[in-house]
Amino acid sequence: MTAIYKRELRSYFSTPLGYVFSAVYLAVSGLLFALYTLRSSSSDVSSFASMMIFGFVALLPLLTMRSFSDEKRLRTDALLLTSPVSATGIVLGKYLASLTVFAGNLLLSCAYIIPLGKYAAEHSPISPARTFGCFFAMFLVGACFIAVGTFVSSLTESQVVAAVGTMAILFFFAGIALFNGMIDSYAIRTVLSWISLYSRFTNFTYGMFDFASLVYYLSFAAVFVFLTVRVTERRRWI
Amino acid sequence: MIEVRNVFKHYGNVTALDDVSFTVNEGEIVGFLGPNGAGKSTMMNIVTGYLSSTSGEASVCGIDVLENPDEAKKKIGFLPEQPPLYREMKVSEYLNFVYELKKCTLNRKAHLDEIMAVTKIAGVKDRLIGNLSKGYRQRVGIAQALVGNPPVMIFDEPTVGLDPKQIIEIRNLIRNLGKNHTVVLSTHILPEVQSVCDRILIINEGRLIADEKTENVARAAASDRKYTVKVAGPRRDVLRELRALGGVRFAEDTGDGDADGAVFAVEAERGIDIRKQMFNMLAAKGWPIMELTPRGMSLEEVFVMITDEDERRRNAPERRAGKE
């Protein structure tokens, strides 16, 4: 697993992908941060965080689109699958590498808080708990999205199909909350808001540690990682 | 070392392998021979654990490939049809990655240096794989299979796309590996197995149709004598005289030829060497032979012959039974 993790991580930055992703990620997050905090004279990063989730819908598929589809297209999966490494090891190595690149960028974007703290100090000082909650929740949502992206990329040989397919699925999970208001049935609304990745977000932005949501996010990611493992194992049986 | 028993593989309705069984002993070099789409790659993929069979068993060094895949895979070095190379990596990076992936315990630097020396890629170790030529990529693919010094090597069409000089080098390399490894390679080129392998497994339409020592196949292939001969002389007359020559089973004007002469295809009766008579006859007529090339059997012809023999052998007892 570590060999695959290291290779994946290195390959992000020996191809343009890692740099392009980081550049776009930091540009988009910087712009949104400026708009939703500095420009609106607020020290609350929660609206920035919830906007970023929609940014993730567009950005994170770029990070995962290549992970399995390229191996299949170039037949390099033959090396991985005939090596003494389990399918779980292969999938986790790749998943964690994508997660690391994302987490690194997220960590870099934490630096935005420094100028915010400088300007906001007088009137409305930053709440450390709420700010930490927002970034932590962003990390959890990102981890879920990357799991979905890794899964979709294991289904196809085409990077484009992987990216667009992932975006569609992510848009569904992130967008449920938006459409929820239009639905009359209470039962459907409850179910939808329960599976919505977006709705689970709010408690973290209030600085509360929401254990149920944490479990939800982690199991969401685990389910998709597990599905990817199954797809990888199944490849032998086709 | 390798044991395959009653392996079937179906892709939907297509039967890729139909009841294949064979064993490969320690230290043998075995060639899988078959036309494209015969099931060679499928068979190799099953032994290496890349694919699984629909039914049947495969084991390597006594370890079942399905029951204990991780242990079995440690025993195998595999070069797939398309070498599994990451274009964005340097050769040395790539081999280090494979070293870690295979959980090797040998001294890393010495081991990788030795592999690069054996496959002659030390000179390109700091270059990106994506920038290498096809021949070098193939060698890096072979180097990858050698990492960890596994006792069994499986090469799927190792010389495809190489130039003649490289082909000879790779064949020598494989022959050397065969001294202390068990090697299985696949090819659709008959001379390749003849020059490298101890034993030949011929596979056609998913069925194993022959399992022979190389000498036997070579003898069978040489027993039918066919030549192309270029003669400086009038086409029609030469053809007539060739046909009239004793021991000639078949002669034909190929229609090819140039200022030097016309090209004919000649086939001798089984067991007769017609070269001397042909030379004497043509010399007497004043039509010199410009070229005389023995035409080896094509793979298809060997197939036909072997399958024919196979069927004859199988039908023989029945016929006898019918007479009684």
Side-chain angles (χ1 to χ4, degrees):
Chain A
M1 191 189 97
T2 36
I4 294 173
Y5 172 78
K6 272 159 62 186
R7 200 208 74 79
E8 286 293 313
L9 204 55
R10 199 186 295 153
S11 114
Y12 272 119
F13 294 100
S14 54
T15 57
L17 186 63
Y19 299 99
V20 171
F21 173 81
S22 301
V24 176
Y25 180 90
L26 292 174
V28 167
S29 62
L31 185 72
L32 288 177
F33 192 84
L35 279 179
Y36 285 92
T37 58
L38 299 175
R39 286 275 295 169
S40 33
S41 329
S42 154
S43 67
D44 177 14
V45 294
S46 65
S47 21
F48 157 70
S50 35
M51 279 320 288
M52 271 312 282
I53 290 181
F54 289 96
F56 288 173
V57 171
L59 283 171
L60 292 184
L62 304 179
L63 202 56
T64 55
M65 64 182 183
R66 221 192 43 182
S67 92
F68 279 94
S69 54
D70 227 26
E71 301 258 4
K72 279 160 85 169
R73 192 171 59 84
L74 300 170
R75 309 262 173 246
T76 43
D77 58 345
L79 174 64
L80 303 184
L81 294 174
T82 57
S83 298
V85 184
S86 64
T88 317
I90 298 172
V91 173
L92 277 182
K94 282 176 168 289
Y95 174 71
L96 292 178
S98 304
L99 192 62
T100 307
V101 175
F102 162 69
N105 278 293
L106 189 70
L107 214 58
L108 277 181
S109 65
C110 286
Y112 301 156
I113 299 167
I114 299 167
L116 182 67
K118 195 162 172 270
Y119 291 117
E122 291 173 30
H123 303 292
S124 53
I126 295 177
S127 149
R130 293 182 68 171
T131 311
F132 176 77
C134 282
F135 276 90
F136 186 60
M138 278 158 70
F139 172 75
L140 290 177
V141 173
C144 292
F145 282 14
I146 288 173
V148 173
T150 309
F151 170 67
V152 176
S153 121
S154 75
L155 297 176
T156 171
E157 285 190 12
S158 154
Q159 296 185 30
V160 177
V161 172
V164 175
T166 310
M167 280 179 203
I169 295 176
L170 295 187
F171 187 74
F172 170 76
F173 279 114
I176 293 171
L178 297 180
F179 305 117
N180 227 351
M182 305 175 200
I183 294 168
D184 287 335
S185 157
Y186 175 75
I188 295 180
R189 236 171 26 224
T190 315
V191 172
L192 285 184
S193 72
W194 195 83
I195 61 168
S196 162
L197 284 163
Y198 189 80
S199 319
R200 295 247 164 210
F201 200 67
T202 32
N203 280 343
F204 287 105
T205 64
Y206 295 141
M208 286 191 277
F209 186 76
D210 184 347
F211 191 70
S213 294
L214 177 71
V215 170
Y216 170 79
Y217 283 129
L218 292 183
S219 17
F220 186 99
V223 164
F224 277 95
V225 167
F226 173 75
L227 288 176
T228 317
V229 173
R230 301 303 299 175
V231 171
T232 311
E233 279 173 351
R234 178 176 163 269
R235 186 155 158 72
R236 300 181 57 201
W237 298 92
I238 298 172
Chain B
M1 286 303 257
I2 302 178
E3 227 185 315
V4 170
R5 273 185 306 271
N6 308 102
V7 164
F8 287 83
K9 177 73 183 176
H10 303 288
Y11 294 106
N13 289 328
V14 181
T15 304
L17 289 177
D18 187 357
D19 198 8
V20 174
S21 306
F22 63 89
T23 50
V24 178
N25 303 317
E26 194 172 343
E28 254 186 326
I29 306 184
V30 170
F32 254 111
L33 187 62
N36 294 321
K40 303 187 296 277
S41 292
T42 306
M43 191 64 247
M44 297 187 136
N45 286 335
I46 286 173
V47 174
T48 55
Y50 182 41
L51 285 177
S52 62
S53 53
T54 310
S55 67
E57 290 164 39
S59 64
V60 175
C61 303
I63 304 163
D64 192 289
V65 175
L66 272 189
E67 277 170 21
N68 202 346
D70 285 5
E71 281 308 306
K73 286 169 184 174
K74 276 185 194 167
K75 305 283 185 200
I76 303 174
F78 179 39
L79 170 71
E81 204 169 355
Q82 195 175 342
L85 305 174
Y86 294 98
R87 302 171 57 94
E88 77 275 10
M89 293 178 100
K90 289 176 184 168
V91 172
S92 53
E93 273 176 3
Y94 174 71
L95 291 179
N96 272 295
F97 163 64
V98 176
Y99 179 92
E100 287 170 28
L101 192 67
K102 291 191 178 173
K103 299 173 181 149
C104 292
T105 46
L106 300 156
N107 179 303
R108 182 190 295 232
K109 195 175 175 305
H111 182 52
L112 293 185
D113 281 349
E114 190 196 337
I115 288 175
M116 286 193 279
V118 167
T119 51
K120 298 191 179 133
I121 52 171
V124 295
K125 68 176 184 180
D126 291 323
R127 286 178 57 186
L128 289 180
I129 292 173
N131 294 342
L132 294 179
S133 69
K134 169 95 181 143
Y136 270 112
R137 283 189 207 176
Q138 193 73 19
R139 287 188 216 191
V140 177
I142 292 175
Q144 162 272 125
L146 302 185
V147 172
N149 201 17
V152 176
M153 304 274 177
I154 296 184
F155 299 126
D156 198 350
E157 310 222 339
T159 58
V160 146
L162 302 182
D163 68 36
K165 187 165 168 277
Q166 293 167 335
I167 290 180
I168 291 167
E169 281 177 13
I170 298 287
R171 282 181 192 165
N172 287 336
L173 174 62
I174 291 173
R175 222 175 281 136
N176 281 331
L177 284 174
K179 285 174 191 157
N180 37 25
H181 295 86
T182 305
V183 182
V184 177
L185 64 94
S186 79
T187 176
H188 56 265
I189 310 162
L190 184 58
E192 181 148 303
V193 276
Q194 284 180 347
S195 71
V196 178
C197 303
D198 307 322
R199 195 149 62 90
I200 300 181
L201 301 174
I202 298 184
I203 192 164
N204 194 24
E205 287 169 5
R207 279 198 310 275
L208 202 63
I209 57 174
D211 179 347
E212 291 279 350
K213 287 238 179 279
T214 305
E215 306 102 77
N216 298 347
V217 176
R219 206 180 301 133
S223 66
D224 252 5
R225 297 198 165 269
K226 291 183 180 180
Y227 303 95
T228 37
V229 53
K230 190 193 255 185
V231 182
R235 272 180 192 266
R236 220 186 271 168
D237 299 339
V238 173
L239 184 61
R240 197 186 54 234
E241 293 299 326
L242 281 175
R243 281 185 175 151
L245 193 66
V248 172
R249 208 179 90 171
F250 171 82
E252 186 188 44
D253 185 351
T254 59
D256 286 345
D258 50 30
D260 278 354
V263 180
F264 302 88
V266 181
E267 191 183 329
E269 298 282 356
R270 212 170 260 243
I272 298 178
D273 190 346
I274 57 164
R275 285 174 297 181
K276 279 182 192 164
Q277 286 121 292
M278 197 157 61
F279 172 83
N280 288 334
M281 181 274 284
L282 291 169
K285 295 275 181 191
W287 300 326
I289 294 178
M290 308 303 285
E291 275 175 36
L292 178 62
T293 323
R295 222 179 56 195
M297 272 184 137
S298 71
L299 189 51
E300 285 72 24
E301 289 167 316
V302 174
F303 277 137
V304 170
M305 207 176 60
I306 287 175
T307 38
D308 280 359
E309 261 173 32
D310 194 38
E311 253 164 48
R312 222 176 297 143
R313 220 177 295 150
R314 235 182 289 158
N315 290 340
E318 287 168 32
R319 254 184 248 145
R320 219 176 297 137
K323 272 180 190 167
E324 283 166 6

